[in-house]
Amino acid sequence: MTGFRSRHDQVPPETSHRRALVLSEVATDGTAGLSRVLRRAASIDGDAADVRVSALIRAVPGMGVLDSHELLIRAHIRETGLAGDLTPGQRVALVELVDRTQRLRGAIS
């Protein structure tokens, strides 16, 4: 009998831990953390580069699945896109969209 394995089953535990640390940085520092992680993903940090952009957005406090979907569409980023694959323009657009969304929500509450 063949079973289907998820992609997460194939990732070594230490890699999963390092990626979780990347997500926790975004969760702790919000948009500033997202900006830092995206810059690192573009240059030197392989762990940050291998994280899905949708997961990074959802890690920002107050952002959910629907927010992630909408912001990815507006920034012209694939749902399955990895942080390391973003163009400089996509990185800038994404950070601006996340920041604007958070500020608008803060003004409403």
Side-chain angles (χ1 to χ4, degrees), residues 21-52:
L21 290 173
V22 169
L23 292 173
S24 78
E25 179 179 347
V26 175
T28 301
D29 296 335
T31 307
L34 174 65
S35 180
R36 269 195 317 274
V37 165
L38 291 176
R39 280 194 310 269
R40 285 199 330 259
S43 58
I44 59 167
D45 190 339
D47 293 321
D50 289 339
V51 175
R52 286 193 179 194

Side-chain angles (χ1 to χ4, degrees), residues 1-105:
M1 174 188 231
T2 28
F4 292 99
R5 292 173 47 157
S6 76
R7 196 168 81 105
H8 296 289
D9 292 340
Q10 301 168 7
V11 177
E14 50 285 341
T15 301
S16 293
H17 178 71
R18 289 192 309 266
R19 289 180 187 168
L21 290 173
V22 169
L23 292 173
S24 78
E25 179 179 347
V26 175
T28 301
D29 296 335
T31 307
L34 174 65
S35 180
R36 269 195 317 274
V37 165
L38 291 176
R39 280 194 310 269
R40 285 199 330 259
S43 58
I44 59 167
D45 190 339
D47 293 321
D50 289 339
V51 175
R52 286 193 179 194
V53 180
S54 58
L56 289 171
I57 295 171
R58 288 192 313 269
V60 174
M63 295 289 169
V65 174
L66 294 177
D67 299 311
S68 171
H69 178 74
E70 180 182 338
L71 294 174
L72 289 172
I73 288 172
R74 292 177 68 195
H76 304 287
I77 299 169
R78 293 178 326 203
E79 285 284 331
T80 58
L82 299 177
D85 295 336
L86 297 182
T87 66
Q90 288 173 319
R91 286 193 305 272
V92 168
L94 185 61
V95 171
E96 287 177 357
L97 287 167
V98 169
D99 185 54
R100 186 178 317 138
T101 301
Q102 283 197 306
R103 280 188 285 123
L104 285 172
R105 287 189 178 157

